[in-house]
Amino acid sequence: MIYLDNNATTRMAPEVREAMLPWMDEFYGNPSGGYRFGKKAKQAMDEAREKVAALIGSQPDEVVFTSGGTEAINSAIQSGTRQHPNHKILLASSVEHSAVFEAFGAMESQGFETRWCPVDEQGRLDLEQWNQILEGAQVVVANLIWANNETGVISPVAEAAAACAEHGACFHCDAVQAVGKIPISVGELPVHALSMSAHKFHGPKGVGAVYTHRLSRFTPMFYGGGQEEGRRSGTENVAGIVGMGVAASLASEALDSRKRLADMRDDFENKILDSIEGVEINGGNTERLPNTTNLYFSGVDGEGLLILLDEAEVCCSPGSACSTGSIEPSRIIKSMGHSSTRARSSVRFSFSRYSEAREVDEAVSAVKAAVAKLRVVLPRGVTR
Ligand code: PLP
């Protein structure tokens, strides 16, 4: 199998699994326990907190563990809205992940109003409009995806965050795809909160964290035992948190070799562009994650391509994994001003540090064969 869907999830690093095992087995104490058996678990979590903080350039006590990226995002947004209860405007880019998109949608039914800031045809945020929206309305929470999960396009986080600071809006960054793939130093940015998820950087699924600036008040999403210094209630997933810590340290070390990843991705893109006609890179003319490519194959049904590649044992994605199964064309590609046809004919390939150079050629051959097959018959709604 050639696994090129690392933006959906990644293989857990063997070192992570090894580190987790004792915490699922012999050291099962509750970290809130007052005895040494429990304190040992608490200490292991604190070490993991230091490792995660080191990966994003924060203080350890600014890291709150959650059940993953979705919880981190929802809790950051909800906490942000409580800072100014009278302000009801939410701001986000038009290319947010469904975790933000749906959270904002749900908040509209509670009296909030959302302003979606557009992106250009490369998926770049329109900073001018971002600033105008902040100037014209009392925005309570602004949200920006650091790196897009479908295209890998990187947002101007520093500029967007600075504008929010100037206008008193709480700024949350969805950095789920960025953490572990590109260097992040949150301490240097006016960011109130930032979300991350372990399974995107070779850690376990079902564990993540939200960075919360030490000077901003973070109110929990749900109430209970007051764990995580009152910022996230519920008995902690100790094994998962230990695994996330090890994954964070490994990711920090691997950041230096991200050029190798970019070279592999570029090699894949160049070979596809050279050998298949009618291919364009979505967001190809701007800064992107080193591991991601989103390709438009004109006259090809993306779902069909996925099925043929699956038969050839190549795993890739029509965009966000969360929207697989729905026949809706990618919201992200459409937000970039492209047609539904182009969105339906676009496929994402995402590499990881475990990807091998030989897989590039095998994947290119499989894509070539599948595209040739699909171009013989065009399904309804797909035009050349
Ligand atoms: N945000 C982005 C940009 C993502 O890519 C994802 C996962 O695909 C999430 C949030 C949700 O993270 P999790 O799967 O940990 O809930």
Side-chain angles (χ1 to χ4, degrees):
M1 182 185 81
I2 299 176
Y3 186 73
L4 296 180
D5 202 17
N6 287 282
N7 284 9
T9 197
T10 56
R11 171 188 161 185
M12 201 158 81
E15 298 91 328
V16 169
R17 180 181 175 277
E18 277 307 300
M20 287 172 69
L21 286 175
W23 304 97
M24 291 193 273
D25 190 9
E26 58 203 291
F27 302 128
Y28 53 83
N30 189 319
S32 300
Y35 35 80
R36 278 170 297 163
F37 190 51
K39 285 184 181 147
K40 194 174 167 69
K42 167 94 172 57
Q43 196 185 334
M45 284 194 336
D46 286 343
E47 282 167 21
R49 207 181 300 280
E50 280 171 23
K51 291 172 182 157
V52 171
L55 178 62
I56 60 162
S58 76
Q59 300 297 319
D61 62 0
E62 294 174 316
V63 173
V64 177
F65 288 112
T66 65
S67 66
T70 301
E71 185 195 323
I73 289 166
N74 276 269
S75 59
I77 291 172
Q78 287 195 22
S79 171
T81 59
R82 292 188 192 116
Q83 316 270 320
H84 295 289
N86 297 328
H87 297 183
K88 294 288 176 196
I89 310 286
L90 304 168
L91 166 64
S93 80
S94 60
V95 289
E96 297 299 324
H97 184 267
S98 50
V100 171
F101 194 70
E102 298 294 334
F104 274 21
M107 294 181 78
E108 281 175 0
S109 61
Q110 296 162 29
F112 288 89
E113 227 182 274
T114 305
R115 305 282 156 85
W116 300 105
C117 183
V119 297
D120 67 11
E121 81 290 347
Q122 292 299 321
R124 286 177 296 225
L125 184 76
D126 185 337
L127 263 175
E128 213 171 293
Q129 285 219 37
W130 181 269
N131 284 310
Q132 274 170 14
I133 295 169
L134 285 162
E135 272 161 27
Q138 282 188 321
V139 171
V140 59
V141 174
N143 190 98
L144 185 59
I145 191 164
W146 192 309
N148 189 271
N149 46 304
E150 293 192 26
T151 59
V153 169
I154 294 176
S155 300
V157 173
E159 291 90 333
C164 289
E166 194 185 319
H167 296 284
C170 176
F171 181 75
H172 167 251
C173 186
D174 171 1
V176 167
Q177 291 293 343
V179 169
K181 293 188 183 129
I182 52 173
I184 286 186
S185 190
V186 82
E188 291 167 14
L189 298 168
V191 170
H192 289 88
L194 176 140
S195 295
M196 63 206 111
S197 181
H199 76 106
K200 304 293 187 185
F201 54 93
H202 305 288
K205 293 171 182 58
V207 58
V210 58
Y211 154 86
T212 163
H213 191 283
R214 54 173 48 193
L215 297 180
S216 60
R217 200 161 28 93
F218 192 85
T219 49
M221 191 161 73
F222 25 75
Y223 296 90
Q227 287 89 344
E228 296 292 284
E229 307 291 334
R231 296 170 296 183
R232 196 269 183 181
S233 283
T235 303
E236 300 90 337
N237 172 3
V238 179
I241 289 169
V242 168
M244 183 171 184
V246 174
S249 293
L250 294 170
S252 297
E253 287 163 23
L255 278 176
D256 285 343
S257 55
R258 64 188 186 285
K259 166 109 181 36
R260 177 194 156 265
L261 206 51
D263 287 346
M264 201 181 325
R265 187 270 316 269
D266 292 349
D267 187 32
F268 176 76
E269 278 179 351
N270 292 333
K271 284 177 171 155
I272 294 271
L273 292 170
D274 287 348
S275 61
I276 308 175
E277 266 179 46
V279 181
E280 285 173 37
I281 304 168
N282 291 315
N285 289 331
T286 188
E287 201 190 348
R288 284 179 297 160
L289 290 174
N291 78 318
T292 310
T293 182
N294 190 306
L295 300 176
Y296 160 54
F297 297 90
S298 74
V300 170
D301 172 40
E303 290 285 335
L305 183 55
L306 233 74
I307 292 167
L308 291 186
L309 288 177
D310 185 27
E311 281 170 11
E313 295 200 77
V314 176
C315 303
C316 54
S317 167
S320 161
C322 310
S323 62
T324 308
S326 92
I327 47 160
E328 285 299 301
S330 160
R331 176 171 54 78
I332 306 301
I333 306 294
K334 281 173 62 183
S335 290
M336 291 159 70
H338 297 306
S339 64
S340 295
T341 306
R342 179 165 173 143
R344 278 204 185 87
S345 300
S346 295
V347 172
R348 175 188 75 187
F349 301 88
S350 45
F351 295 77
S352 85
R353 63 174 187 263
Y354 293 114
S355 303
E356 292 172 28
R358 65 160 183 87
E359 293 178 316
V360 167
D361 290 334
E362 288 177 31
V364 170
S365 303
V367 174
K368 253 170 79 176
V371 167
K373 212 169 184 178
L374 288 166
R375 277 190 175 152
V376 174
V377 187
L378 291 184
R380 241 178 343 148
V382 177
T383 50
R384 252 197 259 277

